[in-house]
Every structure is written in C-alpha cells, then in structure tokens.
Amino acid sequence: WPRSGGIRGGAAMDLFGDLRRMNKRQLYYQVLNFAMIVSSALMIWKGLIVVTGSESPIVVVLSGSMEPAFHRGDLLFLTNFHDDPIRAGEIVVFKVEGRDIPIVHRVIKVHEKGNGNIKFLTKGDNNEVDDRGLYKEGQNWLEKKDVVGRARGFLPYVGMVTIIMNDYPKFKYALLAVMGAYVLLKRES
C-alpha cells in the first residue's frame, strides 16, 4: 500500500531510474542540450542589451506606484540611447545609490543647462509626492547616469511569474528543478 506522499516519491524514483537507464553518451548529450539552451538565452539577453542600449532591456513592474499607466506584473521593454533627450512626461527606469531594485516612474520636471547637462525629477503616477524621498540623502534631482532605460512598450501582467517566484522562493526552485529534469530526460525521437 502506498503511503501518503507516495506519488511524489514515485515520481522521484522514476526520475532517478530514467537517469540510471541512460547511457553516458545520452546523458552527455542531454547536459550539452541544456547548456545550449542556457547559453542561447544569455546570448539573446546580451544581444538585447546591445540593440537597446539599456543594461536591463526588460523589467517587471513590482509595485502599484505607476497605476493606472502600468500595473504590478506588467513587463516593460526599455531603450536607453544617450543622445535622446529626457523630457517631462516620459516614463523612465532609474537606479538610486543604496537601492538594489530599479524604480519605474514618470519624469515630472526637467532642468536643462546651457552646457547640455540635464537634471530631472520623477514621481509615480499613483503617488502623492515626488521621488525626492527615494533618492539618496542630499540628492534632489536625477541625472542621465541614473537612468537604466525608458519605457517603449509593455505586456500586461506577463511578469507576474517573476513576482510569484520572488515572493515564493520554494516555487522558483521547484520550477527550475522540473525544467532541468525535463531537459535532461527528454529524449529525441
């Protein structure tokens, strides 16, 4: 009689049985196949960085501070061409010293000096006050060097998978394990 949890245990035994039944050549082939998938994804990411000029060409909106323009979980596509001037009304993604996660907010004021130096102020559409409280201490304006990218398009709610994986790390590791096992055990017909 199977005990409680017997189904999960059986699935794990099948996984290890499949691995044992593979000869070394099949196992090496599957590992190389997995490595090709990972390296292809990295090459695509690096290619997007070069094409868009942004160190992070795709980001997920993590909060509701930009509603109704963007909602939590929306996937944003960014560009960051340095010769494009920053204008009021534009949505930028910026990093502030001391914070790990970039922020997606709208530019509300721009100060342009004669020498081409630009400083600007941001605010979330759904926030009551500007972002000066988010900037590093003593900083009242952002500069172009703080910008990671500018929003050029989005896909609604596609990034919810990322939010779920960040909120529930065990789910992330389980999903990665299942995907890795699938790639390793998938046999060519």
Side-chain angles (χ1 to χ4, degrees), residues 7-20:
I7 294 173
R8 276 192 287 189
M13 294 308 262
D14 287 346
L15 172 72
F16 292 118
D18 284 347
L19 278 175
R20 270 192 235 110

Side-chain angles (χ1 to χ4, degrees), residues 36-51:
M36 282 179 28
I37 290 169
V38 171
S39 61
S40 294
L42 289 173
M43 286 189 293
I44 290 169
W45 182 256
K46 290 296 184 181
L48 282 173
I49 289 172
V50 170
V51 168

Side-chain angles (χ1 to χ4, degrees), residues 86-90 106-110:
I86 292 176
R87 299 288 174 227
E90 190 172 20
R106 189 178 305 275
V107 175
I108 58 170
K109 289 183 184 176
V110 177

Side-chain angles (χ1 to χ4, degrees), residues 23-37:
N23 64 33
K24 286 184 180 181
R25 176 179 248 166
Q26 286 175 316
L27 186 62
Y28 291 143
Y29 175 77
Q30 296 302 70
V31 169
L32 283 174
N33 196 15
F34 183 70
M36 282 179 28
I37 290 169

Side-chain angles (χ1 to χ4, degrees), residues 61-74 76 91 104-106 123-128 154 157 160 163:
V61 177
L62 298 176
S63 74
S65 67
M66 279 303 292
E67 290 179 2
F70 299 121
H71 296 273
R72 189 169 193 253
D74 287 355
L76 299 182
I91 296 170
V104 179
H105 281 174
R106 189 178 305 275
K123 176 185 170 296
D125 290 356
N126 201 22
N127 293 348
E128 296 292 323
F154 76 102
Y157 302 110
M160 284 307 287
I163 291 173

Side-chain angles (χ1 to χ4, degrees), residues 71-113:
H71 296 273
R72 189 169 193 253
D74 287 355
L75 192 70
L76 299 182
F77 300 100
L78 309 178
T79 63
N80 194 22
F81 302 117
H82 290 284
D83 51 337
D84 285 348
I86 292 176
R87 299 288 174 227
E90 190 172 20
I91 296 170
V92 295
V93 177
F94 61 92
K95 266 188 144 177
V96 176
E97 194 177 308
R99 291 183 179 262
D100 295 334
I101 299 172
I103 300 168
V104 179
H105 281 174
R106 189 178 305 275
V107 175
I108 58 170
K109 289 183 184 176
V110 177
H111 287 285
E112 197 166 350
K113 295 185 179 175

